Amino acid sequence: MVLRDPGSTSPLRIWLDSRNTGRPGGTGVATYTTGMRQCFTQMGCDVTYLWDRAPDATAPPPNTPARKVLRFMHALLPFPTRVRRRQRPDTGERCWFVPDLFRLANVHFRIWNRPLRLCGGQPPAIMYSTYPLPFLVDDAINVVTIHDLIPLTHPELTGIDRTFMEKLLRRQVALADVVVTVSETVRQQIVDMFHVPADRIFNLYQPVSITDAERRAMEATPAIAPAGCFLFIGRVEARKNIERLVAAHALSGTARPLVIMGPDGDDQPDFTPRTPRQQIIRIPWCSRESLLRTLRDAHALLFPSLAEGFGLPIIEAMALGVPVLTSRGGATGEIAGDAALLVDPLDTGDITQGIAALDRMTADTAQWQQMVARGHSQAERFSPAAQIERMTPFLAHLSRLSATGR
């Protein structure tokens, strides 16, 4: 099915924000953005990014004092900001951009308590924001993605300003045409907290895939961690339950090292070994190929997070045939289904027992084989094909909204 722009024979035009694309180390939102673009493209849409810089600029301008003054003066203006269009010098591809867009929109919202309005530039049928960003595009259907409400439900676990985020989310939920989220857990939280009508909020989950090219690159990548380790992947911060994980790993008595892979987070949890025998290996964020190689070679993924909106490593591990231990309840329990070993993330003893149980399993045991088989089946629920199936009625709904002017 190829959807068309209203009143046109051209494919449905969609802009995605570029805020999380190309960031060093990558983020879960960046993976989400890339996956959604691929799905929209496969569905026949004309998809491009809305950038915060001109196509001949490799990065946003430095955030100098002079730049901050200019940004503040621009943000004071009460009328819409024009979107510019230019062709990329290398490919000739058209590029839509607003210089300094994301910082400018943030300052504008803090001043006016409303999103920055963007106009001109031949607006698309749909502006699909992959994150709650404080701007809206005039004459387009504006979709905002809310991945989680952690700054509101667990403010002690994040460095994000709760007051600002709640104000931003309330305004975006009220003004956006459609709200999208990535799990039923978060969808229900949004409904309960913001009283969003059912026909304005959609749970699309998230496409998760490991391509053939990635698998080939993974095979050719040197190992950076010992095979058979226990592995944690994610930001190293209190929200990820690092200290209980390290304590449980020590108490389990396993001889397998615990590899903690990911960038530093908002705080600094203590991941030093709890016993002389315990081995902790800390690996900063690495290339995608190295991450996948380490995950594939791991004995199991340990992911007893305290709060998530989705839990991307869970499905990536299952897709690679790696058993998973994760938190019972919430989004992690929803995403893992019956394919993971679920534990109480607040109970170090329960996490310990889970690690010990996984430690005793081997590839020839029935329980191991069952976990791997169920994991593969669960991962298929989030494949690009399954995602496109979920997105087809959603995109048809957006097309109808666009055709009727909402």
Side-chain angles (χ1 to χ4, degrees):
M1 178 179 68
V2 179
L3 295 175
R4 306 293 182 183
D5 261 0
S8 169
T9 59
S10 301
L12 192 69
R13 292 179 59 233
I14 300 176
W15 285 355
L16 298 174
D17 67 274
S18 65
R19 180 181 181 272
N20 288 281
T21 60
R23 288 193 166 194
T27 66
V29 180
T31 303
Y32 170 79
T33 303
T34 301
M36 292 300 286
R37 180 177 188 177
Q38 292 171 347
C39 289
F40 279 132
T41 301
Q42 289 181 42
M43 296 173 75
C45 299
D46 179 5
V47 188
T48 189
Y49 286 122
L50 176 61
W51 293 91
D52 61 344
R53 58 188 182 272
D56 53 353
T58 57
N63 197 26
T64 62
R67 173 65 60 180
K68 292 179 181 179
V69 171
L70 290 172
R71 182 185 305 130
F72 182 79
M73 293 175 64
H74 188 165
L76 286 172
L77 300 176
F79 42 80
T81 295
R82 292 195 65 82
V83 178
R84 305 182 190 183
R85 176 182 177 179
R86 199 177 295 173
Q87 287 188 321
R88 292 191 177 279
D90 51 348
T91 64
E93 178 188 4
R94 58 185 176 172
C95 176
W96 312 94
F97 69 99
V98 175
D100 202 26
L101 171 59
F102 307 122
R103 289 171 174 165
L104 172 63
N106 186 62
V107 174
H108 183 277
F109 184 84
R110 290 178 182 275
I111 294 172
W112 294 96
N113 193 31
R114 64 172 184 258
L116 177 69
R117 288 175 53 205
L118 305 180
C119 67
Q122 294 179 317
I126 299 164
M127 175 67 231
Y128 193 101
S129 293
T130 62
Y131 194 80
L133 300 171
F135 68 81
L136 298 171
V137 175
D138 287 351
D139 301 318
I141 297 300
N142 285 274
V143 179
V144 60
T145 306
I146 300 176
H147 294 266
D148 62 70
L149 296 182
I150 294 170
L152 280 57
T153 60
H154 299 79
E156 74 282 2
L157 297 179
T158 175
I160 297 174
D161 183 337
R162 175 181 180 173
T163 301
F164 174 78
M165 184 55 69
E166 182 173 3
K167 183 186 298 183
L168 173 60
L169 290 175
R170 286 193 182 279
R171 292 294 287 172
Q172 289 297 77
V173 165
L175 295 175
D177 298 294
V178 175
V179 178
V180 166
T181 190
V182 295
S183 66
E184 281 299 313
T185 298
V186 178
R187 181 182 182 277
Q188 192 58 52
Q189 289 175 340
I190 295 171
V191 169
D192 293 344
M193 188 169 293
F194 299 121
H195 309 293
V196 184
D199 63 349
R200 288 188 54 238
I201 180 167
F202 293 79
N203 168 31
L204 295 181
Y205 288 112
Q206 175 171 342
V208 183
S209 67
I210 301 172
T211 65
D212 291 341
E214 286 178 324
R215 291 177 185 271
R216 289 192 297 270
M218 173 183 71
E219 295 293 340
T221 298
I224 60 173
C229 65
F230 282 117
L231 176 64
F232 165 83
I233 296 175
R235 287 170 64 87
V236 180
E237 57 189 4
R239 178 169 70 89
K240 300 296 187 177
N241 214 12
I242 298 297
E243 295 190 1
R244 286 193 186 90
L245 172 59
V246 172
H249 178 264
L251 290 170
S252 73
T254 180
R256 302 178 190 276
L258 172 60
V259 176
I260 299 177
M261 175 179 284
D264 293 332
D266 294 326
D267 45 41
Q268 295 181 327
D270 178 13
F271 54 82
T272 56
R274 303 307 196 253
T275 69
R277 183 170 176 266
Q278 185 181 26
Q279 185 181 6
I280 304 291
I281 300 174
R282 175 76 172 95
I283 300 177
W285 206 256
C286 58
S287 70
R288 171 76 171 164
E289 294 79 14
S290 292
L291 182 150
L292 292 177
R293 169 69 190 269
T294 304
L295 181 55
R296 186 208 63 180
D297 290 349
H299 185 70
L301 174 76
L302 306 181
F303 198 72
S305 179
L306 295 172
E308 295 289 331
F310 184 81
L312 178 62
I314 295 171
I315 299 302
E316 291 184 327
M318 290 178 177
L320 289 171
V322 177
V324 174
L325 176 149
T326 192
S327 302
R328 184 182 300 115
T332 51
E334 175 189 342
I335 298 305
D338 66 353
L341 182 58
L342 301 179
V343 298
D344 180 352
L346 297 176
D347 187 341
T348 302
D350 198 22
I351 302 172
T352 299
Q353 292 177 16
I355 295 173
L358 285 170
D359 194 36
R360 292 190 296 269
M361 292 184 199
T362 59
D364 58 354
T365 60
Q367 191 174 5
W368 177 283
Q369 294 169 357
Q370 184 181 63
M371 288 188 72
V372 171
R374 287 181 175 177
H376 281 306
S377 296
Q378 187 71 359
E380 282 300 311
R381 293 186 58 206
F382 305 96
S383 67
Q387 185 71 15
I388 288 173
E389 187 174 339
R390 283 189 291 270
M391 289 171 61
T392 298
F394 168 73
L395 201 55
H397 173 70
L398 294 186
S399 184
R400 287 193 296 270
L401 288 180
S402 183
T404 60
R406 302 169 184 77

